[in-house]
Amino acid sequence: VGPLARTVEDAEALYSVMAGHDPNDPWSVPRTAGETLSGRVTGLAIGVPQPWVEGAPLTGETAAVFADTLDRLADLGAAVREVRRLALQGDSPLTDLLDAEVASVHRAWLEDPARDYGPEVAQRMTQALTVTLDRYVAAQTQRSALRNAAAEAFLGVDLLVTPTTGAIRKRLGEPAIPGNGRTYPYRQVLSCLTWPVNHIGGPALAVPLRGTGRPPYSLQLIGPRWQERRLLAVGRALEEVGIVGFDPP
């Protein structure tokens, strides 16, 4: 989860503070944060990644709001089209990569009897310890295919858009949510459209769609790698034309 803000402008202010090279972090890339850019909707090339969106467990309401939003963007002068790449799909969440990272962090603590994990968390942590090197390499290969498919998609569009989640409500005590004609585990419905972005490695911005109820539905904007400023500029432009925005309760 990234920073939460009332406006895209506030989110950009937070980005300006966090971005940039940290010489004490071996994962940090020596790049500057860049300057604030101006945004526009007219002439923007927007891609809808498939089969990612069409295969996602969306509720009927989520699908309808997303389709209406695409129509509104087109009416404002954006060029909206499908971007179809076989590797752009969200049905395999590369859990072996996540589990391997979990295992590297928690292994010593799991083996320490003085550190007590709850039963549900302990079960998930123990499962993470079973990831083999072969499974980890296979997952790395799959992630590389996903990243390359996204890079190819961005050759023809400025950004990709999806709903942020497959549903906007999860009832307490109920482990599943209906969507796309079936019933799915709630974690899958709520994360199927966001987890691939973590593996693509590009920036994403989730913005509330104005006039879609309380809580509002949300649109996810996904940009190419190192294009955070450009993505934030588009978010500000969508606020200016009234498609997105935060309405206090």
Side-chain angles (χ1 to χ4, degrees):
V1 176
L4 305 178
R6 285 179 178 268
T7 66
V8 176
E9 183 179 6
D10 288 350
E12 186 160 16
L14 292 170
Y15 171 74
S16 297
V17 174
M18 295 183 296
H21 180 52
D22 180 358
N24 296 316
D25 181 359
W27 294 94
S28 178
V29 177
R31 292 179 64 99
T32 62
E35 300 296 328
T36 299
L37 303 176
S38 60
R40 73 193 193 289
V41 177
T42 302
L44 198 63
I46 298 176
V48 180
Q50 303 292 11
W52 186 1
V53 173
E54 66 189 12
L58 308 181
T59 65
E61 295 83 359
T62 301
V65 169
F66 181 61
D68 179 66
T69 301
L70 296 180
D71 289 340
R72 294 175 66 190
L73 290 169
D75 289 342
L76 289 169
V80 181
R81 65 181 180 86
E82 285 191 349
V83 176
R84 189 168 293 275
R85 301 288 185 277
L86 183 60
L88 279 177
Q89 49 188 316
D91 62 350
S92 178
L94 301 175
T95 50
D96 283 343
L97 290 177
L98 305 180
D99 285 347
E101 183 175 339
V102 167
S104 70
V105 173
H106 290 270
R107 189 185 308 274
W109 297 339
L110 280 168
E111 297 171 353
D112 184 352
R115 296 182 180 272
D116 191 20
Y117 285 78
E120 181 180 354
V121 175
Q123 180 181 10
R124 295 177 64 188
M125 297 297 176
T126 302
Q127 176 183 332
L129 295 175
T130 67
V131 177
T132 65
L133 182 59
D134 288 343
R135 286 167 51 188
Y136 181 77
V137 171
Q140 287 278 23
T141 301
Q142 185 177 356
R143 178 163 66 180
S144 179
L146 177 63
R147 286 184 172 179
N148 289 336
E152 186 179 3
F154 285 124
L155 294 176
V157 296
D158 297 311
L159 73 158
L160 301 174
V161 296
T162 74
T164 302
T165 59
I168 60 170
R169 288 181 177 86
K170 186 269 178 187
R171 294 184 181 275
L172 293 176
E174 295 185 7
I177 298 176
N180 204 16
R182 291 174 47 194
T183 298
Y184 295 84
Y186 76 90
R187 291 180 186 274
Q188 183 177 354
V189 178
L190 298 180
S191 67
C192 63
L193 294 158
T194 53
W195 72 255
V197 181
N198 296 329
H199 296 286
I200 288 171
L205 179 66
V207 287
L209 291 167
R210 184 157 268 162
T212 57
R214 297 180 185 274
Y217 289 83
S218 178
L219 184 70
Q220 178 176 230
L221 313 176
I222 308 166
R225 299 191 77 183
W226 311 118
Q227 294 298 315
E228 285 85 354
R229 290 292 190 188
R230 188 178 185 186
L231 193 66
L232 288 161
V234 172
R236 282 189 276 104
L238 293 177
E239 282 184 333
E240 291 169 2
V241 298
I243 289 183
V244 308
F246 171 74
D247 294 316

